[in-house]
């Protein structure tokens, strides 16, 4: 069947003008916090010699993915709050779909890798540095990207080949599989099942692995000293918080047949904007090493600039 649609119209989060104006400033603030916080995490880890363990290597990669992930949807969402008609071309829609699933799935895998890293550090401390060397960590990151690419390739190919004859109104603020399946002028039952198996099962299986890993880690705390237990618990608590905030909305959205609910848009805000914004706050506020490194780095930079200004001769 021929595809007659050249562009889609996004309905956005709300049709109310006052709500849209409020959301414009609110999400602009969220996006600024998100970008600033994640950049601070990356720069702090890159510039701090005491943050050179695999855990911080993966945390830096997570912040990079968060920046890219939110940038696929947030700028368009913010601009659309001021637009009368929220248009996106067919090609632009498919590109957005591709990168949403590439970066979203990559984040799922990196969170799973971070849980494995914490398991090795806490449960196998004597073998940790031998196993988690930089070569192995780099291989894990490559596999995270490859896993994300395989996932998004399947999702994008399934969606691109669907015929769209109209209407072209997407009840969402970005292009995703379920809203697009709803618009296809063909039977999408099989495609919906494949999409659910692809996205939903990845989310659910990774969540189960993560819960199992952290359960084993928490049970192993009784063999640690009180100081070691406190430090390990603080690190794991931040990871568990991120996992719950990210995976629960993903499972709600993707682990079901190709149906849409009015709540989907607000739920999607959590894993596309809120969680990437909170990640730097959760990891820095609950991690003493990151907080101390940030203080040392940024105070040193501020003092360096002040000292440089004091020694410069007046013009």
């Amino acid at each position: 069947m021929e595809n007659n649609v050249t562009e889609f119209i996004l309905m956005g989060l709300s049709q109310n003008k006052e709500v849209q104006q409020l959301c414009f400033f609110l999400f602009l603030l969220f996006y600024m916090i998100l970008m600033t916080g994640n950049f601070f995490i990356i720069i702090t880890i890159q510039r701090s010699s005491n943050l050179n363990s695999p855990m911080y290597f993966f945390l830096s990669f997570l912040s990079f993915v968060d920046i890219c992930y939110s940038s696929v949807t947030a700028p368009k969402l913010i601009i659309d709050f001021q637009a009368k008609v929220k248009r996106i071309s067919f090609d632009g829609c498919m590109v957005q779909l591709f990168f949403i699933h590439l970066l979203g799935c990559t984040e799922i895998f990196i969170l799973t890798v971070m849980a494995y890293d914490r398991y090795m550090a806490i449960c196998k401390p004597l073998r940790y540095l031998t196993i988690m060397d930089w070569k192995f960590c780099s291989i894990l990151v490559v596999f995270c990207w490859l896993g994300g690419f395989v996932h998004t390739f399947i999702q994008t190919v399934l969606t691109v080949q669907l015929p769209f004859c109209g209407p072209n109104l997407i009840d969402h603020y970005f292009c995703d599989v379920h809203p697009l399946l709803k618009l296809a002028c063909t039977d999408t039952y099989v495609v919906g099942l494949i999409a659910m198996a692809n996205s939903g099962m990845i989310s659910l299986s990774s969540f189960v692995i993560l819960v199992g890993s952290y359960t084993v880690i928490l049970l192993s705390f009784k063999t640690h000293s009180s100081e070691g237990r406190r430090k390990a618990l603080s690190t794991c608590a931040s990871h568990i918080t991120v996992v719950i905030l990210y995976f629960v909305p993903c499972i709600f959205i993707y682990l079901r047949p190709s149906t849409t609910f009015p709540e989907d848009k607000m739920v999607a805000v959590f894993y596309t904007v809120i969680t990437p914004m909170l990640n730097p706050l959760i990891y820095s506020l609950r991690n003493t090493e990151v907080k101390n490194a940030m203080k040392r780095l940024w105070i040193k930079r501020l003092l360096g600039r002040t000292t440089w200004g004091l020694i410069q001769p007046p013009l």
Side-chain angles (χ1 to χ4, degrees):
M1 192 176 294
E2 185 180 355
N3 187 359
N4 298 324
V5 173
T6 59
E7 68 174 14
F8 293 102
I9 307 297
L10 299 168
M11 291 184 64
L13 286 178
S14 173
Q15 303 300 307
N16 186 290
K17 296 294 182 182
E18 288 76 17
V19 173
Q20 288 189 47
Q21 289 301 315
L22 175 62
C23 286
F24 172 78
F25 292 105
L26 189 62
F27 279 86
L28 181 61
L29 176 62
F30 286 167
Y31 188 59
M32 291 171 64
I33 294 172
L34 184 157
M35 297 294 284
T36 303
N38 281 293
F39 270 123
F40 272 8
I41 289 285
I42 293 172
I43 294 171
T44 300
I45 292 173
Q46 295 262 336
R47 300 290 178 87
S48 301
S49 57
N50 61 318
L51 299 182
N52 57 359
S53 68
M55 180 178 75
Y56 297 113
F57 170 73
F58 293 130
L59 177 56
S60 177
F61 178 57
L62 177 67
S63 290
F64 171 74
V65 172
D66 276 338
I67 289 172
C68 298
Y69 185 39
S70 292
S71 296
V72 176
T73 57
K76 170 70 173 164
L77 172 64
I78 294 167
I79 292 170
D80 280 348
F81 283 130
Q82 299 295 316
K84 290 183 179 179
V85 181
K86 305 168 181 58
R87 290 186 172 90
I88 184 169
S89 68
F90 180 87
D91 291 340
C93 185
M94 295 304 125
V95 168
Q96 188 180 57
L97 171 70
F98 178 87
F99 281 104
I100 276 287
H101 282 269
L102 170 64
L103 296 164
C105 190
T106 301
E107 178 147 348
I108 286 176
F109 289 139
I110 195 63
L111 288 171
T112 307
V113 166
M114 290 174 75
Y116 175 73
D117 172 73
R118 289 301 83 205
Y119 167 78
M120 293 301 300
I122 295 169
C123 300
K124 313 275 186 186
L126 298 179
R127 300 176 56 196
Y128 176 65
L129 292 177
T130 304
I131 295 174
M132 299 298 292
D133 58 12
W134 292 113
K135 181 180 179 181
F136 184 60
C137 290
S138 299
I139 291 172
L140 289 175
V141 167
V142 171
F143 273 103
C144 288
W145 281 116
L146 288 176
F149 178 80
V150 170
H151 161 75
T152 195
F153 180 79
I154 294 171
Q155 297 291 80
T156 306
V157 168
L158 287 174
T159 309
V160 167
Q161 53 85 32
L162 291 173
F164 296 96
C165 325
N168 64 341
L169 189 65
I170 298 178
D171 187 15
H172 215 304
Y173 65 92
F174 66 90
C175 292
D176 203 0
V177 175
H178 288 334
L180 288 170
L181 289 179
K182 192 175 180 181
L183 297 181
C185 48
T186 186
D187 183 13
T188 60
Y189 178 76
V190 175
V191 175
L193 286 180
I194 297 172
M196 181 184 71
N198 190 15
S199 295
M201 292 311 298
I202 287 176
S203 300
L204 181 62
S205 58
S206 297
F207 182 69
V208 170
I209 291 170
L210 284 163
V211 170
S213 299
Y214 285 119
T215 300
V216 173
I217 290 171
L218 291 172
L219 290 175
S220 71
F221 283 166
K222 59 185 179 181
T223 63
H224 291 72
S225 64
S226 58
E227 176 64 22
R229 191 182 302 117
R230 184 195 64 79
K231 185 177 178 181
L233 186 60
S234 176
T235 302
C236 288
S238 61
H239 289 205
I240 292 170
T241 304
V242 170
V243 165
I244 292 173
L245 287 173
Y246 188 80
F247 277 87
V248 172
C250 284
I251 291 172
F252 173 79
I253 294 291
Y254 295 111
L255 194 63
R256 66 173 194 242
S258 56
T259 56
T260 58
F261 299 126
E263 299 81 11
D264 287 355
K265 292 185 283 187
M266 292 308 301
V267 172
V269 167
F270 275 90
Y271 60 82
T272 58
V273 178
I274 302 299
T275 303
M277 179 187 69
L278 293 178
N279 279 353
L281 300 176
I282 292 170
Y283 283 110
S284 60
L285 291 177
R286 297 197 60 88
N287 191 303
T288 305
E289 288 181 342
V290 174
K291 282 192 294 186
N292 291 338
M294 280 186 170
K295 289 177 184 177
R296 285 194 300 269
L297 177 64
W298 297 107
I299 290 174
K300 182 180 177 181
R301 290 174 70 88
L302 289 173
L303 289 176
R305 289 180 181 178
T306 304
T307 304
W308 177 255
L310 290 173
I311 65 174
Q312 289 299 301
L315 297 175

PDB file of all heavy atoms in Angstrom, residues 19-46:
ATOM      1  N   VAL A  19      -1.082  26.221  29.985  1.00  0.00           N
ATOM      2  CA  VAL A  19      -0.245  25.079  30.392  1.00  0.00           C
ATOM      3  C   VAL A  19       0.999  24.987  29.513  1.00  0.00           C
ATOM      4  O   VAL A  19       2.099  24.712  29.999  1.00  0.00           O
ATOM      5  CB  VAL A  19      -1.057  23.769  30.330  1.00  0.00           C
ATOM      6  CG1 VAL A  19      -0.147  22.562  30.578  1.00  0.00           C
ATOM      7  CG2 VAL A  19      -2.193  23.792  31.347  1.00  0.00           C
ATOM      8  N   GLN A  20       0.837  25.242  28.228  1.00  0.00           N
ATOM      9  CA  GLN A  20       1.975  25.198  27.316  1.00  0.00           C
ATOM     10  C   GLN A  20       3.016  26.259  27.677  1.00  0.00           C
ATOM     11  O   GLN A  20       4.218  25.992  27.629  1.00  0.00           O
ATOM     12  CB  GLN A  20       1.506  25.400  25.875  1.00  0.00           C
ATOM     13  CG  GLN A  20       0.757  24.213  25.293  1.00  0.00           C
ATOM     14  CD  GLN A  20       0.491  24.349  23.810  1.00  0.00           C
ATOM     15  OE1 GLN A  20       1.384  24.694  23.042  1.00  0.00           O
ATOM     16  NE2 GLN A  20      -0.736  24.087  23.390  1.00  0.00           N
ATOM     17  N   GLN A  21       2.572  27.457  28.040  1.00  0.00           N
ATOM     18  CA  GLN A  21       3.510  28.517  28.424  1.00  0.00           C
ATOM     19  C   GLN A  21       4.254  28.140  29.702  1.00  0.00           C
ATOM     20  O   GLN A  21       5.469  28.354  29.820  1.00  0.00           O
ATOM     21  CB  GLN A  21       2.768  29.841  28.614  1.00  0.00           C
ATOM     22  CG  GLN A  21       2.268  30.471  27.332  1.00  0.00           C
ATOM     23  CD  GLN A  21       3.397  30.761  26.352  1.00  0.00           C
ATOM     24  OE1 GLN A  21       4.455  31.288  26.714  1.00  0.00           O
ATOM     25  NE2 GLN A  21       3.191  30.392  25.091  1.00  0.00           N
ATOM     26  N   LEU A  22       3.527  27.579  30.659  1.00  0.00           N
ATOM     27  CA  LEU A  22       4.165  27.131  31.900  1.00  0.00           C
ATOM     28  C   LEU A  22       5.167  26.020  31.621  1.00  0.00           C
ATOM     29  O   LEU A  22       6.291  26.026  32.140  1.00  0.00           O
ATOM     30  CB  LEU A  22       3.088  26.651  32.881  1.00  0.00           C
ATOM     31  CG  LEU A  22       3.602  26.040  34.203  1.00  0.00           C
ATOM     32  CD1 LEU A  22       4.394  27.072  34.997  1.00  0.00           C
ATOM     33  CD2 LEU A  22       2.428  25.500  35.025  1.00  0.00           C
ATOM     34  N   CYS A  23       4.757  25.056  30.782  1.00  0.00           N
ATOM     35  CA  CYS A  23       5.639  23.929  30.444  1.00  0.00           C
ATOM     36  C   CYS A  23       6.880  24.393  29.684  1.00  0.00           C
ATOM     37  O   CYS A  23       7.957  23.807  29.832  1.00  0.00           O
ATOM     38  CB  CYS A  23       4.879  22.893  29.617  1.00  0.00           C
ATOM     39  SG  CYS A  23       3.693  21.918  30.556  1.00  0.00           S
ATOM     40  N   PHE A  24       6.734  25.429  28.865  1.00  0.00           N
ATOM     41  CA  PHE A  24       7.884  25.958  28.124  1.00  0.00           C
ATOM     42  C   PHE A  24       9.007  26.357  29.081  1.00  0.00           C
ATOM     43  O   PHE A  24      10.157  25.930  28.915  1.00  0.00           O
ATOM     44  CB  PHE A  24       7.457  27.151  27.276  1.00  0.00           C
ATOM     45  CG  PHE A  24       8.616  27.876  26.631  1.00  0.00           C
ATOM     46  CD1 PHE A  24       9.240  27.356  25.501  1.00  0.00           C
ATOM     47  CD2 PHE A  24       9.086  29.065  27.173  1.00  0.00           C
ATOM     48  CE1 PHE A  24      10.320  28.015  24.922  1.00  0.00           C
ATOM     49  CE2 PHE A  24      10.165  29.730  26.594  1.00  0.00           C
ATOM     50  CZ  PHE A  24      10.781  29.211  25.468  1.00  0.00           C
ATOM     51  N   PHE A  25       8.680  27.156  30.084  1.00  0.00           N
ATOM     52  CA  PHE A  25       9.696  27.611  31.034  1.00  0.00           C
ATOM     53  C   PHE A  25      10.160  26.468  31.941  1.00  0.00           C
ATOM     54  O   PHE A  25      11.354  26.363  32.262  1.00  0.00           O
ATOM     55  CB  PHE A  25       9.155  28.766  31.876  1.00  0.00           C
ATOM     56  CG  PHE A  25       8.922  30.019  31.095  1.00  0.00           C
ATOM     57  CD1 PHE A  25       7.642  30.419  30.749  1.00  0.00           C
ATOM     58  CD2 PHE A  25      10.001  30.794  30.660  1.00  0.00           C
ATOM     59  CE1 PHE A  25       7.427  31.566  30.009  1.00  0.00           C
ATOM     60  CE2 PHE A  25       9.800  31.945  29.910  1.00  0.00           C
ATOM     61  CZ  PHE A  25       8.506  32.334  29.590  1.00  0.00           C
ATOM     62  N   LEU A  26       9.228  25.581  32.320  1.00  0.00           N
ATOM     63  CA  LEU A  26       9.571  24.474  33.203  1.00  0.00           C
ATOM     64  C   LEU A  26      10.530  23.501  32.528  1.00  0.00           C
ATOM     65  O   LEU A  26      11.567  23.129  33.093  1.00  0.00           O
ATOM     66  CB  LEU A  26       8.289  23.753  33.632  1.00  0.00           C
ATOM     67  CG  LEU A  26       8.427  22.686  34.725  1.00  0.00           C
ATOM     68  CD1 LEU A  26       8.932  23.308  36.009  1.00  0.00           C
ATOM     69  CD2 LEU A  26       7.092  21.985  34.944  1.00  0.00           C
ATOM     70  N   PHE A  27      10.210  23.112  31.286  1.00  0.00           N
ATOM     71  CA  PHE A  27      11.055  22.137  30.595  1.00  0.00           C
ATOM     72  C   PHE A  27      12.357  22.770  30.096  1.00  0.00           C
ATOM     73  O   PHE A  27      13.368  22.077  29.971  1.00  0.00           O
ATOM     74  CB  PHE A  27      10.292  21.490  29.441  1.00  0.00           C
ATOM     75  CG  PHE A  27       9.392  20.380  29.878  1.00  0.00           C
ATOM     76  CD1 PHE A  27       8.097  20.635  30.310  1.00  0.00           C
ATOM     77  CD2 PHE A  27       9.838  19.072  29.900  1.00  0.00           C
ATOM     78  CE1 PHE A  27       7.267  19.622  30.729  1.00  0.00           C
ATOM     79  CE2 PHE A  27       9.024  18.040  30.315  1.00  0.00           C
ATOM     80  CZ  PHE A  27       7.727  18.311  30.740  1.00  0.00           C
ATOM     81  N   LEU A  28      12.335  24.060  29.814  1.00  0.00           N
ATOM     82  CA  LEU A  28      13.583  24.752  29.494  1.00  0.00           C
ATOM     83  C   LEU A  28      14.513  24.721  30.702  1.00  0.00           C
ATOM     84  O   LEU A  28      15.721  24.462  30.565  1.00  0.00           O
ATOM     85  CB  LEU A  28      13.295  26.201  29.079  1.00  0.00           C
ATOM     86  CG  LEU A  28      14.510  27.047  28.694  1.00  0.00           C
ATOM     87  CD1 LEU A  28      15.244  26.440  27.502  1.00  0.00           C
ATOM     88  CD2 LEU A  28      14.081  28.486  28.394  1.00  0.00           C
ATOM     89  N   LEU A  29      13.963  24.940  31.896  1.00  0.00           N
ATOM     90  CA  LEU A  29      14.760  24.849  33.126  1.00  0.00           C
ATOM     91  C   LEU A  29      15.269  23.428  33.333  1.00  0.00           C
ATOM     92  O   LEU A  29      16.445  23.219  33.660  1.00  0.00           O
ATOM     93  CB  LEU A  29      13.902  25.287  34.317  1.00  0.00           C
ATOM     94  CG  LEU A  29      14.553  25.166  35.706  1.00  0.00           C
ATOM     95  CD1 LEU A  29      15.785  26.063  35.810  1.00  0.00           C
ATOM     96  CD2 LEU A  29      13.541  25.490  36.805  1.00  0.00           C
ATOM     97  N   PHE A  30      14.390  22.437  33.142  1.00  0.00           N
ATOM     98  CA  PHE A  30      14.792  21.032  33.280  1.00  0.00           C
ATOM     99  C   PHE A  30      15.960  20.703  32.344  1.00  0.00           C
ATOM    100  O   PHE A  30      16.928  20.053  32.740  1.00  0.00           O
ATOM    101  CB  PHE A  30      13.613  20.101  32.965  1.00  0.00           C
ATOM    102  CG  PHE A  30      12.555  20.038  34.017  1.00  0.00           C
ATOM    103  CD1 PHE A  30      11.318  19.454  33.756  1.00  0.00           C
ATOM    104  CD2 PHE A  30      12.778  20.559  35.276  1.00  0.00           C
ATOM    105  CE1 PHE A  30      10.336  19.394  34.724  1.00  0.00           C
ATOM    106  CE2 PHE A  30      11.799  20.498  36.262  1.00  0.00           C
ATOM    107  CZ  PHE A  30      10.574  19.924  35.969  1.00  0.00           C
ATOM    108  N   TYR A  31      15.837  21.147  31.094  1.00  0.00           N
ATOM    109  CA  TYR A  31      16.861  20.819  30.105  1.00  0.00           C
ATOM    110  C   TYR A  31      18.188  21.499  30.438  1.00  0.00           C
ATOM    111  O   TYR A  31      19.263  20.889  30.267  1.00  0.00           O
ATOM    112  CB  TYR A  31      16.386  21.243  28.714  1.00  0.00           C
ATOM    113  CG  TYR A  31      17.276  20.776  27.586  1.00  0.00           C
ATOM    114  CD1 TYR A  31      17.518  19.416  27.381  1.00  0.00           C
ATOM    115  CD2 TYR A  31      17.878  21.687  26.723  1.00  0.00           C
ATOM    116  CE1 TYR A  31      18.335  18.981  26.345  1.00  0.00           C
ATOM    117  CE2 TYR A  31      18.691  21.260  25.686  1.00  0.00           C
ATOM    118  CZ  TYR A  31      18.915  19.911  25.506  1.00  0.00           C
ATOM    119  OH  TYR A  31      19.729  19.483  24.473  1.00  0.00           O
ATOM    120  N   MET A  32      18.135  22.724  30.933  1.00  0.00           N
ATOM    121  CA  MET A  32      19.364  23.416  31.337  1.00  0.00           C
ATOM    122  C   MET A  32      20.027  22.712  32.515  1.00  0.00           C
ATOM    123  O   MET A  32      21.253  22.546  32.548  1.00  0.00           O
ATOM    124  CB  MET A  32      19.050  24.879  31.683  1.00  0.00           C
ATOM    125  CG  MET A  32      18.651  25.730  30.483  1.00  0.00           C
ATOM    126  SD  MET A  32      18.044  27.367  30.944  1.00  0.00           S
ATOM    127  CE  MET A  32      19.518  28.070  31.694  1.00  0.00           C
ATOM    128  N   ILE A  33      19.218  22.281  33.492  1.00  0.00           N
ATOM    129  CA  ILE A  33      19.765  21.534  34.641  1.00  0.00           C
ATOM    130  C   ILE A  33      20.364  20.220  34.170  1.00  0.00           C
ATOM    131  O   ILE A  33      21.455  19.810  34.604  1.00  0.00           O
ATOM    132  CB  ILE A  33      18.657  21.284  35.687  1.00  0.00           C
ATOM    133  CG1 ILE A  33      18.188  22.604  36.301  1.00  0.00           C
ATOM    134  CG2 ILE A  33      19.151  20.338  36.785  1.00  0.00           C
ATOM    135  CD1 ILE A  33      16.971  22.464  37.194  1.00  0.00           C
ATOM    136  N   LEU A  34      19.642  19.553  33.273  1.00  0.00           N
ATOM    137  CA  LEU A  34      20.098  18.264  32.725  1.00  0.00           C
ATOM    138  C   LEU A  34      21.455  18.408  32.033  1.00  0.00           C
ATOM    139  O   LEU A  34      22.396  17.641  32.318  1.00  0.00           O
ATOM    140  CB  LEU A  34      19.048  17.756  31.749  1.00  0.00           C
ATOM    141  CG  LEU A  34      19.194  16.401  31.083  1.00  0.00           C
ATOM    142  CD1 LEU A  34      17.810  15.908  30.651  1.00  0.00           C
ATOM    143  CD2 LEU A  34      20.086  16.432  29.861  1.00  0.00           C
ATOM    144  N   MET A  35      21.573  19.379  31.148  1.00  0.00           N
ATOM    145  CA  MET A  35      22.815  19.572  30.402  1.00  0.00           C
ATOM    146  C   MET A  35      23.952  19.981  31.328  1.00  0.00           C
ATOM    147  O   MET A  35      25.062  19.430  31.254  1.00  0.00           O
ATOM    148  CB  MET A  35      22.609  20.630  29.315  1.00  0.00           C
ATOM    149  CG  MET A  35      21.592  20.255  28.255  1.00  0.00           C
ATOM    150  SD  MET A  35      22.107  18.848  27.238  1.00  0.00           S
ATOM    151  CE  MET A  35      23.320  19.633  26.189  1.00  0.00           C
ATOM    152  N   THR A  36      23.688  20.926  32.223  1.00  0.00           N
ATOM    153  CA  THR A  36      24.732  21.410  33.137  1.00  0.00           C
ATOM    154  C   THR A  36      25.201  20.307  34.073  1.00  0.00           C
ATOM    155  O   THR A  36      26.407  20.093  34.243  1.00  0.00           O
ATOM    156  CB  THR A  36      24.190  22.598  33.958  1.00  0.00           C
ATOM    157  OG1 THR A  36      23.740  23.627  33.086  1.00  0.00           O
ATOM    158  CG2 THR A  36      25.284  23.156  34.866  1.00  0.00           C
ATOM    159  N   GLY A  37      24.250  19.590  34.677  1.00  0.00           N
ATOM    160  CA  GLY A  37      24.612  18.539  35.622  1.00  0.00           C
ATOM    161  C   GLY A  37      25.410  17.423  34.985  1.00  0.00           C
ATOM    162  O   GLY A  37      26.425  16.975  35.538  1.00  0.00           O
ATOM    163  N   ASN A  38      24.988  16.963  33.821  1.00  0.00           N
ATOM    164  CA  ASN A  38      25.696  15.863  33.158  1.00  0.00           C
ATOM    165  C   ASN A  38      27.056  16.300  32.625  1.00  0.00           C
ATOM    166  O   ASN A  38      28.027  15.533  32.664  1.00  0.00           O
ATOM    167  CB  ASN A  38      24.837  15.285  32.033  1.00  0.00           C
ATOM    168  CG  ASN A  38      23.751  14.354  32.545  1.00  0.00           C
ATOM    169  OD1 ASN A  38      24.023  13.290  33.068  1.00  0.00           O
ATOM    170  ND2 ASN A  38      22.495  14.776  32.429  1.00  0.00           N
ATOM    171  N   PHE A  39      27.159  17.545  32.135  1.00  0.00           N
ATOM    172  CA  PHE A  39      28.469  18.061  31.726  1.00  0.00           C
ATOM    173  C   PHE A  39      29.413  18.152  32.920  1.00  0.00           C
ATOM    174  O   PHE A  39      30.608  17.834  32.817  1.00  0.00           O
ATOM    175  CB  PHE A  39      28.331  19.426  31.050  1.00  0.00           C
ATOM    176  CG  PHE A  39      28.127  19.351  29.566  1.00  0.00           C
ATOM    177  CD1 PHE A  39      27.005  19.931  28.971  1.00  0.00           C
ATOM    178  CD2 PHE A  39      29.043  18.707  28.743  1.00  0.00           C
ATOM    179  CE1 PHE A  39      26.807  19.864  27.600  1.00  0.00           C
ATOM    180  CE2 PHE A  39      28.851  18.623  27.369  1.00  0.00           C
ATOM    181  CZ  PHE A  39      27.730  19.204  26.800  1.00  0.00           C
ATOM    182  N   PHE A  40      28.888  18.586  34.075  1.00  0.00           N
ATOM    183  CA  PHE A  40      29.711  18.666  35.282  1.00  0.00           C
ATOM    184  C   PHE A  40      30.230  17.287  35.679  1.00  0.00           C
ATOM    185  O   PHE A  40      31.394  17.142  36.070  1.00  0.00           O
ATOM    186  CB  PHE A  40      28.900  19.273  36.428  1.00  0.00           C
ATOM    187  CG  PHE A  40      28.966  20.775  36.483  1.00  0.00           C
ATOM    188  CD1 PHE A  40      29.571  21.505  35.473  1.00  0.00           C
ATOM    189  CD2 PHE A  40      28.421  21.468  37.551  1.00  0.00           C
ATOM    190  CE1 PHE A  40      29.624  22.885  35.513  1.00  0.00           C
ATOM    191  CE2 PHE A  40      28.470  22.854  37.600  1.00  0.00           C
ATOM    192  CZ  PHE A  40      29.081  23.564  36.582  1.00  0.00           C
ATOM    193  N   ILE A  41      29.355  16.275  35.578  1.00  0.00           N
ATOM    194  CA  ILE A  41      29.774  14.906  35.921  1.00  0.00           C
ATOM    195  C   ILE A  41      30.913  14.459  34.997  1.00  0.00           C
ATOM    196  O   ILE A  41      31.938  13.925  35.444  1.00  0.00           O
ATOM    197  CB  ILE A  41      28.580  13.935  35.803  1.00  0.00           C
ATOM    198  CG1 ILE A  41      27.569  14.170  36.927  1.00  0.00           C
ATOM    199  CG2 ILE A  41      29.056  12.484  35.819  1.00  0.00           C
ATOM    200  CD1 ILE A  41      27.978  13.654  38.271  1.00  0.00           C
ATOM    201  N   ILE A  42      30.738  14.666  33.689  1.00  0.00           N
ATOM    202  CA  ILE A  42      31.746  14.233  32.715  1.00  0.00           C
ATOM    203  C   ILE A  42      33.073  14.950  32.945  1.00  0.00           C
ATOM    204  O   ILE A  42      34.146  14.322  33.008  1.00  0.00           O
ATOM    205  CB  ILE A  42      31.250  14.483  31.273  1.00  0.00           C
ATOM    206  CG1 ILE A  42      30.061  13.569  30.958  1.00  0.00           C
ATOM    207  CG2 ILE A  42      32.367  14.225  30.263  1.00  0.00           C
ATOM    208  CD1 ILE A  42      29.374  13.880  29.642  1.00  0.00           C
ATOM    209  N   ILE A  43      33.039  16.275  33.085  1.00  0.00           N
ATOM    210  CA  ILE A  43      34.264  17.057  33.258  1.00  0.00           C
ATOM    211  C   ILE A  43      34.944  16.712  34.575  1.00  0.00           C
ATOM    212  O   ILE A  43      36.174  16.571  34.640  1.00  0.00           O
ATOM    213  CB  ILE A  43      33.947  18.571  33.183  1.00  0.00           C
ATOM    214  CG1 ILE A  43      33.481  18.935  31.782  1.00  0.00           C
ATOM    215  CG2 ILE A  43      35.185  19.395  33.545  1.00  0.00           C
ATOM    216  CD1 ILE A  43      32.941  20.341  31.654  1.00  0.00           C
ATOM    217  N   THR A  44      34.154  16.553  35.644  1.00  0.00           N
ATOM    218  CA  THR A  44      34.728  16.212  36.952  1.00  0.00           C
ATOM    219  C   THR A  44      35.450  14.878  36.900  1.00  0.00           C
ATOM    220  O   THR A  44      36.565  14.737  37.420  1.00  0.00           O
ATOM    221  CB  THR A  44      33.622  16.168  38.027  1.00  0.00           C
ATOM    222  OG1 THR A  44      32.989  17.449  38.109  1.00  0.00           O
ATOM    223  CG2 THR A  44      34.203  15.815  39.389  1.00  0.00           C
ATOM    224  N   ILE A  45      34.832  13.871  36.281  1.00  0.00           N
ATOM    225  CA  ILE A  45      35.460  12.542  36.194  1.00  0.00           C
ATOM    226  C   ILE A  45      36.694  12.593  35.307  1.00  0.00           C
ATOM    227  O   ILE A  45      37.726  11.980  35.618  1.00  0.00           O
ATOM    228  CB  ILE A  45      34.437  11.509  35.676  1.00  0.00           C
ATOM    229  CG1 ILE A  45      33.341  11.282  36.729  1.00  0.00           C
ATOM    230  CG2 ILE A  45      35.113  10.182  35.329  1.00  0.00           C
ATOM    231  CD1 ILE A  45      32.190  10.425  36.270  1.00  0.00           C
ATOM    232  N   GLN A  46      36.632  13.342  34.209  1.00  0.00           N
ATOM    233  CA  GLN A  46      37.784  13.433  33.293  1.00  0.00           C
ATOM    234  C   GLN A  46      38.970  14.128  33.951  1.00  0.00           C
ATOM    235  O   GLN A  46      40.121  13.773  33.719  1.00  0.00           O
ATOM    236  CB  GLN A  46      37.375  14.220  32.045  1.00  0.00           C
ATOM    237  CG  GLN A  46      36.305  13.546  31.204  1.00  0.00           C
ATOM    238  CD  GLN A  46      36.867  12.784  30.017  1.00  0.00           C
ATOM    239  OE1 GLN A  46      37.940  13.072  29.534  1.00  0.00           O
ATOM    240  NE2 GLN A  46      36.130  11.804  29.553  1.00  0.00           N
TER     241      GLN A  46
END
